[in-house]
Tab-separated table of all heavy atoms in Angstrom:
chain	number	residue	atom	x	y	z
A	1	ILE	N	0.875	-1.180	-0.004
A	1	ILE	CA	-0.003	-0.008	0.001
A	1	ILE	C	0.904	1.224	0.000
A	1	ILE	O	1.822	1.326	0.801
A	1	ILE	CB	-0.908	0.017	1.253
A	1	ILE	CG1	-1.665	-1.302	1.360
A	1	ILE	CG2	-1.863	1.201	1.215
A	1	ILE	CD1	-2.255	-1.531	2.743
A	2	ARG	N	0.640	2.175	-0.897
A	2	ARG	CA	1.506	3.351	-1.013
A	2	ARG	C	0.682	4.630	-1.093
A	2	ARG	O	-0.456	4.626	-1.572
A	2	ARG	CB	2.383	3.247	-2.262
A	2	ARG	CG	3.435	2.148	-2.195
A	2	ARG	CD	4.516	2.488	-1.190
A	2	ARG	NE	5.568	1.478	-1.164
A	2	ARG	CZ	5.592	0.458	-0.331
A	2	ARG	NH1	4.602	0.283	0.537
A	2	ARG	NH2	6.587	-0.411	-0.367
A	3	ASN	N	1.277	5.733	-0.658
A	3	ASN	CA	0.735	7.065	-0.910
A	3	ASN	C	1.887	8.053	-0.950
A	3	ASN	O	3.036	7.703	-0.672
A	3	ASN	CB	-0.331	7.455	0.138
A	3	ASN	CG	0.264	7.561	1.525
A	3	ASN	OD1	1.427	7.211	1.776
A	3	ASN	ND2	-0.512	8.064	2.462
A	4	LEU	N	1.579	9.285	-1.322
A	4	LEU	CA	2.607	10.318	-1.389
A	4	LEU	C	3.021	10.695	0.020
A	4	LEU	O	2.183	11.024	0.852
A	4	LEU	CB	2.078	11.542	-2.137
A	4	LEU	CG	3.112	12.609	-2.512
A	4	LEU	CD1	4.104	12.078	-3.534
A	4	LEU	CD2	2.391	13.827	-3.078
A	5	ALA	N	4.308	10.655	0.295
A	5	ALA	CA	4.817	10.832	1.648
A	5	ALA	C	4.881	12.300	2.054
A	5	ALA	O	5.061	13.186	1.206
A	5	ALA	CB	6.189	10.199	1.778
A	6	MET	N	4.749	12.561	3.329
A	6	MET	CA	5.051	13.831	3.991
A	6	MET	C	4.148	14.981	3.560
A	6	MET	O	4.478	16.138	3.776
A	6	MET	CB	6.531	14.208	3.765
A	6	MET	CG	7.499	13.153	4.234
A	6	MET	SD	9.231	13.523	3.921
A	6	MET	CE	9.528	14.756	5.179
A	7	THR	N	2.994	14.691	2.997
A	7	THR	CA	2.088	15.770	2.600
A	7	THR	C	1.480	16.483	3.802
A	7	THR	O	0.915	17.571	3.665
A	7	THR	CB	0.951	15.244	1.702
A	7	THR	OG1	0.294	14.149	2.376
A	7	THR	CG2	1.495	14.761	0.371
A	8	HIS	N	1.574	15.870	4.984
A	8	HIS	CA	1.071	16.533	6.191
A	8	HIS	C	1.832	17.823	6.493
A	8	HIS	O	1.337	18.679	7.241
A	8	HIS	CB	1.181	15.589	7.393
A	8	HIS	CG	2.603	15.259	7.776
A	8	HIS	ND1	3.366	14.346	7.080
A	8	HIS	CD2	3.401	15.753	8.762
A	8	HIS	CE1	4.568	14.277	7.623
A	8	HIS	NE2	4.606	15.107	8.637
A	9	LEU	N	3.017	17.985	5.904
A	9	LEU	CA	3.784	19.222	6.112
A	9	LEU	C	3.197	20.398	5.346
A	9	LEU	O	3.478	21.552	5.665
A	9	LEU	CB	5.239	18.995	5.665
A	9	LEU	CG	6.019	17.897	6.413
A	9	LEU	CD1	7.395	17.735	5.777
A	9	LEU	CD2	6.135	18.220	7.886
A	10	GLY	N	2.392	20.113	4.322
A	10	GLY	CA	1.868	21.174	3.470
A	10	GLY	C	0.854	22.101	4.118
A	10	GLY	O	1.016	23.334	4.062
A	11	PRO	N	-0.228	21.566	4.711
A	11	PRO	CA	-1.270	22.448	5.258
A	11	PRO	C	-0.790	23.493	6.250
A	11	PRO	O	-1.221	24.661	6.158
A	11	PRO	CB	-2.258	21.448	5.894
A	11	PRO	CG	-2.108	20.222	5.064
A	11	PRO	CD	-0.649	20.145	4.724
A	12	PRO	N	0.105	23.185	7.204
A	12	PRO	CA	0.585	24.254	8.090
A	12	PRO	C	1.313	25.360	7.346
A	12	PRO	O	1.161	26.554	7.664
A	12	PRO	CB	1.540	23.520	9.053
A	12	PRO	CG	1.108	22.099	9.020
A	12	PRO	CD	0.635	21.868	7.623
A	13	MET	N	2.071	24.991	6.308
A	13	MET	CA	2.780	26.003	5.503
A	13	MET	C	1.787	26.840	4.699
A	13	MET	O	1.949	28.060	4.565
A	13	MET	CB	3.781	25.311	4.585
A	13	MET	CG	4.866	24.551	5.325
A	13	MET	SD	5.805	23.421	4.264
A	13	MET	CE	6.714	24.587	3.244
A	14	VAL	N	0.739	26.207	4.197
A	14	VAL	CA	-0.298	26.938	3.463
A	14	VAL	C	-1.003	27.924	4.399
A	14	VAL	O	-1.271	29.075	4.007
A	14	VAL	CB	-1.326	25.948	2.846
A	14	VAL	CG1	-2.576	26.688	2.379
A	14	VAL	CG2	-0.676	25.177	1.686
A	15	ASP	N	-1.277	27.494	5.633
A	15	ASP	CA	-1.935	28.387	6.601
A	15	ASP	C	-1.090	29.609	6.891
A	15	ASP	O	-1.597	30.751	6.936
A	15	ASP	CB	-2.221	27.633	7.902
A	15	ASP	CG	-3.363	26.643	7.761
A	15	ASP	OD1	-4.131	26.770	6.787
A	15	ASP	OD2	-3.481	25.740	8.609
A	16	ILE	N	0.211	29.408	7.078
A	16	ILE	CA	1.110	30.525	7.362
A	16	ILE	C	1.130	31.505	6.199
A	16	ILE	O	0.987	32.721	6.376
A	16	ILE	CB	2.536	30.003	7.665
A	16	ILE	CG1	2.552	29.227	8.981
A	16	ILE	CG2	3.527	31.155	7.709
A	16	ILE	CD1	3.867	28.507	9.251
A	17	LEU	N	1.287	30.979	4.976
A	17	LEU	CA	1.356	31.849	3.818
A	17	LEU	C	0.029	32.545	3.540
A	17	LEU	O	-0.009	33.712	3.144
A	17	LEU	CB	1.789	31.042	2.582
A	17	LEU	CG	3.247	30.549	2.568
A	17	LEU	CD1	3.455	29.555	1.441
A	17	LEU	CD2	4.194	31.717	2.431
A	18	SER	N	-1.071	31.839	3.767
A	18	SER	CA	-2.388	32.403	3.489
A	18	SER	C	-2.729	33.561	4.423
A	18	SER	O	-3.494	34.465	4.058
A	18	SER	CB	-3.471	31.328	3.596
A	18	SER	OG	-3.245	30.305	2.674
A	19	ASN	N	-2.163	33.530	5.626
A	19	ASN	CA	-2.497	34.540	6.635
A	19	ASN	C	-1.477	35.667	6.736
A	19	ASN	O	-1.529	36.483	7.655
A	19	ASN	CB	-2.675	33.862	7.993
A	19	ASN	CG	-3.891	32.944	8.022
A	19	ASN	OD1	-4.971	33.342	7.607
A	19	ASN	ND2	-3.711	31.728	8.508
A	20	MET	N	-0.539	35.711	5.809
A	20	MET	CA	0.433	36.796	5.816
A	20	MET	C	-0.216	38.127	5.449
A	20	MET	O	-0.938	38.200	4.444
A	20	MET	CB	1.561	36.517	4.814
A	20	MET	CG	2.669	35.614	5.323
A	20	MET	SD	4.016	35.538	4.098
A	20	MET	CE	5.181	34.515	5.003
A	21	PRO	N	0.027	39.179	6.198
A	21	PRO	CA	-0.467	40.505	5.810
A	21	PRO	C	0.292	41.014	4.576
A	21	PRO	O	1.386	40.527	4.273
A	21	PRO	CB	-0.191	41.368	7.041
A	21	PRO	CG	0.889	40.661	7.765
A	21	PRO	CD	0.715	39.219	7.505
A	22	PRO	N	-0.281	41.988	3.864
A	22	PRO	CA	0.352	42.467	2.621
A	22	PRO	C	1.809	42.890	2.781
A	22	PRO	O	2.620	42.638	1.886
A	22	PRO	CB	-0.527	43.661	2.239
A	22	PRO	CG	-1.871	43.346	2.831
A	22	PRO	CD	-1.577	42.628	4.108
A	23	ALA	N	2.146	43.512	3.891
A	23	ALA	CA	3.539	43.951	4.080
A	23	ALA	C	4.481	42.761	4.124
A	23	ALA	O	5.593	42.798	3.563
A	23	ALA	CB	3.659	44.776	5.362
A	24	GLU	N	4.066	41.680	4.774
A	24	GLU	CA	4.897	40.487	4.859
A	24	GLU	C	4.978	39.779	3.509
A	24	GLU	O	6.005	39.188	3.154
A	24	GLU	CB	4.374	39.544	5.933
A	24	GLU	CG	4.561	40.066	7.353
A	24	GLU	CD	4.176	39.024	8.395
A	24	GLU	OE1	4.005	37.844	8.046
A	24	GLU	OE2	4.026	39.428	9.581
A	25	VAL	N	3.890	39.836	2.746
A	25	VAL	CA	3.909	39.250	1.407
A	25	VAL	C	4.912	39.987	0.539
A	25	VAL	O	5.702	39.362	-0.190
A	25	VAL	CB	2.500	39.314	0.767
A	25	VAL	CG1	2.569	38.914	-0.710
A	25	VAL	CG2	1.532	38.407	1.527
A	26	ALA	N	4.926	41.302	0.631
A	26	ALA	CA	5.882	42.091	-0.152
A	26	ALA	C	7.306	41.753	0.251
A	26	ALA	O	8.207	41.652	-0.608
A	26	ALA	CB	5.590	43.575	0.043
A	27	GLU	N	7.539	41.619	1.538
A	27	GLU	CA	8.874	41.270	2.015
A	27	GLU	C	9.268	39.867	1.538
A	27	GLU	O	10.412	39.639	1.161
A	27	GLU	CB	8.918	41.331	3.536
A	27	GLU	CG	10.285	41.063	4.132
A	27	GLU	CD	10.306	41.130	5.648
A	27	GLU	OE1	9.254	41.453	6.260
A	27	GLU	OE2	11.380	40.856	6.229
A	28	TYR	N	8.315	38.960	1.586
A	28	TYR	CA	8.567	37.586	1.104
A	28	TYR	C	8.968	37.601	-0.365
A	28	TYR	O	9.939	36.949	-0.764
A	28	TYR	CB	7.301	36.732	1.314
A	28	TYR	CG	7.495	35.270	0.947
A	28	TYR	CD1	7.775	34.333	1.943
A	28	TYR	CD2	7.399	34.824	-0.368
A	28	TYR	CE1	7.947	32.988	1.618
A	28	TYR	CE2	7.580	33.499	-0.700
A	28	TYR	CZ	7.834	32.570	0.305
A	28	TYR	OH	8.025	31.248	-0.016
A	29	ASP	N	8.216	38.351	-1.175
A	29	ASP	CA	8.519	38.414	-2.603
A	29	ASP	C	9.899	39.020	-2.856
A	29	ASP	O	10.598	38.611	-3.783
A	29	ASP	CB	7.450	39.231	-3.322
A	29	ASP	CG	6.115	38.500	-3.420
A	29	ASP	OD1	6.102	37.271	-3.220
A	29	ASP	OD2	5.099	39.164	-3.702
A	30	HIS	N	10.276	39.993	-2.008
A	30	HIS	CA	11.600	40.619	-2.171
A	30	HIS	C	12.716	39.611	-1.860
A	30	HIS	O	13.745	39.608	-2.532
A	30	HIS	CB	11.698	41.822	-1.233
A	30	HIS	CG	13.027	42.515	-1.288
A	30	HIS	ND1	13.443	43.273	-2.370
A	30	HIS	CD2	14.072	42.532	-0.389
A	30	HIS	CE1	14.664	43.721	-2.144
A	30	HIS	NE2	15.059	43.288	-0.956
A	31	LYS	N	12.471	38.777	-0.859
A	31	LYS	CA	13.494	37.796	-0.468
A	31	LYS	C	13.525	36.559	-1.378
A	31	LYS	O	14.515	35.849	-1.419
A	31	LYS	CB	13.261	37.349	0.981
A	31	LYS	CG	13.518	38.423	2.016
A	31	LYS	CD	13.267	37.876	3.415
A	31	LYS	CE	13.595	38.927	4.480
A	31	LYS	NZ	13.320	38.418	5.862
A	32	HIS	N	12.422	36.308	-2.065
A	32	HIS	CA	12.320	35.119	-2.908
A	32	HIS	C	11.892	35.506	-4.326
A	32	HIS	O	10.766	35.210	-4.752
A	32	HIS	CB	11.314	34.108	-2.323
A	32	HIS	CG	11.599	33.722	-0.920
A	32	HIS	ND1	11.110	34.435	0.169
A	32	HIS	CD2	12.338	32.705	-0.387
A	32	HIS	CE1	11.510	33.856	1.277
A	32	HIS	NE2	12.265	32.820	0.980
């Protein structure tokens, strides 16, 4: 039986990115 591993790491990262205020989004884009 197989599935894609470690996908549980995704939702917390999505939550963090989704809740970033505009200023932090701009800073993120500048750094990346």
Side-chain angles (χ1 to χ4, degrees):
I1 306 163
R2 291 290 183 267
N3 64 352
L4 191 65
M6 303 178 75
T7 54
H8 66 282
L9 299 176
M13 298 166 69
V14 167
D15 287 343
I16 292 171
L17 290 170
S18 299
N19 293 312
M20 276 186 177
E24 290 186 14
V25 171
E27 183 180 357
Y28 184 97
D29 288 344
H30 178 72
K31 291 181 177 179
H32 305 88

